[in-house]
């Protein structure tokens, strides 16, 4: 479902954040992306949803070549990919329900179908009863649940998460991981950049290590491999 061929990324300031990346990720995989700060993890995953474009090389998502994808088609790509961030990125003036419904960029659905989809994902993340609350009224873990609900409401085949537990305490982080496990068990591919050693070493999945813009390790049921 995801393929990168000789992907190279040089930022305008001259920094090379991807230095010839080749990778293949299949539908349904759960992949941790690990590595030191500044290694190129975020750049690697941002290129998958066209937040950044490679300087050279090819990236295919479900057969679509992102290099030749017109800007006008990017919204269609984004609808197939849910994105979860460390800092949640909820819209502060919208309540929980509205934050999730907002991501459901559908015109052809009836209000009844939209309501059902939103309430179904809120139930999955355990927040149905807080649908009317605003982000500031929620804990960090609850805000991340909303952000996960938003990322999956379009039923994407791929969810990309950039340090989703980075701002959460350990107990809350495990709860958030359980939700990602559940989403993955339903067949959705998960790609997660993380610094959480405990989680990577306990809930075993494929581990891709990035260092200096290169993939230095790629192991099934791998280990975190760094001291912290
Ligand atoms: P990581 O996610 O592993 O911390 P990043 O992909 O964020 O790594 O960054 C890789 C390198 O690219 C770093 O040296 C970082 O400073 C640089 N970088 C990231 N984003 C930009 C940008 N928009 N412009 C210039 N340099 C950037
Ligand atoms: P704008 O085009 O108005 O700048 P943003 O890109 O900021 O919109 O996105 C609006 C909201 O949707 C933000 O809260 C952002 O975090 C979220 N968002 C953007 N892209 C995605 C995506 N692919 N999956 C899930 N949420 C997304």
């Amino acid at each position: 479902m995801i393929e990168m061929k000789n992907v190279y990324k040089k930022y305008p300031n001259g920094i090379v954040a991807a230095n010839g990346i080749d990778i293949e990720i299949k539908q349904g995989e759960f992949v941790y992306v690990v590595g030191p700060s500044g290694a190129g993890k975020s750049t690697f995953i941002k290129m998958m949803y066209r937040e950044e474009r490679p300087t050279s090389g090819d990236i295919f998502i479900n057969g679509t070549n992102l290099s030749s994808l017109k800007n006008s088609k990017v919204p269609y790509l984004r609808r197939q990919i849910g994105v979860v961030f460390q800092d949640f990125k909820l819209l502060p003036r919208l309540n929980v329900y509205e934050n999730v419904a907002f991501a459901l960029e559908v015109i052809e659905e009836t209000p009844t179908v939209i309501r059902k989809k939103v309430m179904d994902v809120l139930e999955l993340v355990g927040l149905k009863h807080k649908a009317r609350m605003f982000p500031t009224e929620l804990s960090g873990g609850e805000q991340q649940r909303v952000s996960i609900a938003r990322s999956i409401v379009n039923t994407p085949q791929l969810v990309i998460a950039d340090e989703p537990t980075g701002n959460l305490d350990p107990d809350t982080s495990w709860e958030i991981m359980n939700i990602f496990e559940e989403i993955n068990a339903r067949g959705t591919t998960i790609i997660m950049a993380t610094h959480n050693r405990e989680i990577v070493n306990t809930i075993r999945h494929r581990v891709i290590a990035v260092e200096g813009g290169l993939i230095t390790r790629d192991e099934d049921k791998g280990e975190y491999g760094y001291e912290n």
Side-chain angles (χ1 to χ4, degrees), residues 1-58:
M1 91 164 309
I2 301 171
E3 196 179 358
M4 290 196 181
K5 287 183 178 171
N6 202 15
V7 168
Y8 177 81
K9 170 72 180 179
K10 187 188 229 175
Y11 283 109
N13 60 5
I15 289 178
V16 175
N19 201 2
I21 291 185
D22 289 293
I23 196 86
E24 219 177 293
I25 295 168
K26 296 194 169 65
Q27 178 64 43
E29 283 199 73
F30 194 130
V31 180
Y32 294 119
V33 180
V34 305
S37 290
K41 301 182 296 295
S42 293
T43 303
F44 175 62
I45 61 182
K46 280 177 178 169
M47 290 190 295
M48 294 177 190
Y49 58 101
R50 259 280 284 268
E51 178 73 19
E52 292 291 349
R53 298 184 73 150
T55 310
S56 63
D58 288 310

Side-chain angles (χ1 to χ4, degrees), residues 184-204:
N184 180 241
R186 296 174 179 208
T188 308
T189 310
I190 311 270
I191 301 184
M192 182 181 294
T194 184
H195 280 116
N196 198 315
R197 184 174 198 275
E198 280 279 288
I199 283 173
V200 173
N201 287 345
T202 306
I203 308 177
R204 291 297 184 98

Side-chain angles (χ1 to χ4, degrees), residues 16-153:
V16 175
N19 201 2
I21 291 185
D22 289 293
I23 196 86
E24 219 177 293
I25 295 168
K26 296 194 169 65
Q27 178 64 43
E29 283 199 73
F30 194 130
V31 180
Y32 294 119
V33 180
V34 305
S37 290
K41 301 182 296 295
S42 293
T43 303
F44 175 62
I45 61 182
K46 280 177 178 169
M47 290 190 295
M48 294 177 190
Y49 58 101
R50 259 280 284 268
E51 178 73 19
E52 292 291 349
R53 298 184 73 150
T55 310
S56 63
D58 288 310
I59 302 173
F60 298 88
I61 305 283
N62 286 328
T64 302
N65 189 338
L66 300 199
S67 314
S68 53
L69 188 71
K70 291 198 183 104
N71 284 334
S72 62
K73 301 282 185 202
V74 169
Y76 297 98
L77 171 80
R78 296 272 175 88
R79 255 169 247 169
Q80 302 170 46
I81 305 174
V83 186
V84 176
F85 305 93
Q86 178 172 3
D87 59 356
F88 325 130
K89 298 200 193 293
L90 299 176
L91 298 168
R93 291 173 186 280
L94 300 186
N95 68 28
V96 166
Y97 181 92
E98 292 160 344
N99 263 283
V100 177
F102 180 84
L104 195 59
E105 304 163 52
V106 281
I107 23 180
E108 67 273 25
E109 305 270 45
T110 64
T112 316
V113 171
I114 292 174
R115 188 168 177 82
K116 174 157 176 34
K117 286 189 174 182
V118 174
M119 292 314 277
D120 281 354
V121 289
L122 286 179
E123 177 153 41
L124 174 71
V125 302
L127 278 183
K128 212 172 167 180
H129 59 298
K130 296 205 170 170
R132 290 177 181 278
M133 296 184 83
F134 286 85
T136 50
E137 302 175 290
L138 303 176
S139 69
E142 288 171 334
Q143 290 184 59
Q144 192 58 297
R145 285 165 187 267
V146 177
S147 139
I148 294 170
R150 177 184 64 195
S151 79
I152 58 170
V153 73

